[in-house]
Amino acid sequence: MSPTASLSAVRFVTPFVGASIAWHCLAAAAAVLVPGAAPWALGAIVLNHVVITAAGLAPRSTLLGRNISRLPDAAVARGEMAITVDDGPDPEVTPAVLDLLDAAGQKATFFCIAERVAQHPGLAREIVLRGHSIQNHTARHRHDFSLLGPRAYARELEYAQRIVAQVTGQAPVCFRPPAGFRNMFLAPVLQRMNLTLVSWTRRGFDTREADAQRVLERLTRGLAAGDILLLHDGNSARSLQGRPVVLEVLPQLLAGLKAQGLRSVTLPQGLAA
Ligand SMILES: [Zn+2]
């Protein structure tokens, strides 16, 4: 790591991570200096690691770094919210999602898996041409993402940045890890790449819930300006009628937005001052 890179990593340490580092130093000093303290010091370090891991597995936690789960006040004042659609593009589901959004005159953000963007470049370009935004959802959507180190994080994210920029002409500015799971190595990589971690206000669990009404209820409970909602066009669960759940949820969700006078915007729009 270059001196500048280490400096920026230090600047990016949150109070929680800083306290964890101090906790480690204190435990190590106690283990060396205080007779009989070693087992207690080890216990203190293990406990700290449990808390760090839990923070990384809590998608909306800000303990490990900046993490946006609602649009800023300026967007709220404009009556904006954000629909986000993960894990595509999917040649069966995404075109139907785009048609529903167009019919309602609403915009969305697609957190695409770069491998799928490379497989379906025309579909990815269409998402952007129709006024939506594609953001970084890793290269391959690895299920062990929260166990990776800084180098693997950089590889995953850089590949996805490159592919999305090559295919659509627009480099992502937001990132979302698979299922929202990550660890303390992610924040410095995001900062170096100028990417903002974006989670969500509410999700419907539409990758495993077959009942579209329940997904809709989860998403719309207390729906208000500023909300960021999570849906999936890739890996979508099938409804009882055998259709991708997102396609049954979206028409009702979009009708609800209209009734409440809310406008779904892309994340770059919604995060703008
Ligand atoms: Zn995902």
Side-chain angles (χ1 to χ4, degrees):
M1 200 184 267
S2 75
T4 339
S6 0
L7 260 183
S8 71
V10 169
R11 271 206 308 275
F12 204 70
V13 164
T14 61
F16 170 71
V17 175
S20 295
I21 294 168
W23 187 254
H24 276 67
C25 296
L26 215 75
V32 174
L33 300 173
V34 183
W40 295 99
L42 185 65
I45 288 174
V46 169
L47 180 67
N48 181 245
H49 279 247
V50 169
V51 177
I52 289 174
T53 305
L57 299 181
R60 303 173 68 229
S61 162
T62 54
L63 286 178
L64 299 181
R66 187 166 178 245
N67 180 2
I68 291 176
S69 57
R70 286 186 62 78
L71 296 181
D73 292 347
V76 174
R78 296 191 294 258
E80 295 172 354
M81 52 80 65
I83 294 175
T84 64
V85 189
D86 288 17
D87 295 2
D90 179 286
E92 182 200 345
V93 183
T94 309
V97 168
L98 291 173
D99 288 346
L100 289 168
L101 289 167
D102 278 5
Q106 303 284 12
K107 303 299 178 203
T109 299
F110 292 77
F111 278 93
C112 289
I113 301 169
E115 229 174 28
R116 295 188 181 177
V117 170
Q119 283 164 1
H120 310 288
L123 189 48
R125 275 192 287 273
E126 201 182 332
I127 291 174
V128 173
L129 281 173
R130 287 164 82 162
H132 309 286
S133 171
I134 293 186
Q135 299 298 329
N136 189 329
H137 196 40
T138 76
R140 281 162 282 267
H141 208 261
R142 292 175 58 160
H143 291 291
D144 59 353
F145 191 82
S146 67
L147 303 175
L148 302 181
R151 278 166 194 269
Y153 277 160
R155 271 199 306 273
E156 277 285 318
L157 274 59
E158 279 164 7
Y159 175 84
Q161 286 296 106
R162 195 167 62 247
I163 292 295
V164 173
Q166 271 172 9
V167 168
T168 69
Q170 294 179 10
V173 292
C174 300
F175 174 77
R176 179 178 287 163
F181 297 163
R182 73 280 182 208
N183 63 42
M184 62 182 290
F185 296 123
L186 180 65
V189 175
L190 292 177
Q191 200 217 12
R192 182 168 56 74
M193 295 175 64
N194 272 324
L195 287 168
T196 301
L197 182 69
V198 179
S199 52
W200 50 83
T201 313
R202 249 169 277 113
R203 58 176 158 174
F205 295 100
D206 58 334
T207 56
R208 55 178 202 243
E209 173 68 71
D211 186 339
Q213 283 311 310
R214 289 178 72 170
V215 172
L216 185 71
E217 278 163 23
R218 288 186 188 121
L219 289 170
T220 55
R221 200 174 295 138
L223 183 68
D227 284 0
I228 300 173
L229 303 184
L230 168 60
L231 286 148
H232 291 80
D233 56 348
N235 302 321
S236 180
R238 297 284 150 165
S239 71
L240 301 173
Q241 287 72 37
R243 299 183 66 221
V245 166
V246 63
L247 300 183
E248 295 193 358
V249 171
L250 257 186
Q252 301 179 70
L253 175 63
L254 293 166
L257 295 189
K258 191 179 175 192
Q260 274 187 252
L262 295 172
R263 194 160 68 95
S264 178
V265 296
T266 65
L267 284 174
Q269 285 174 306
L271 297 176

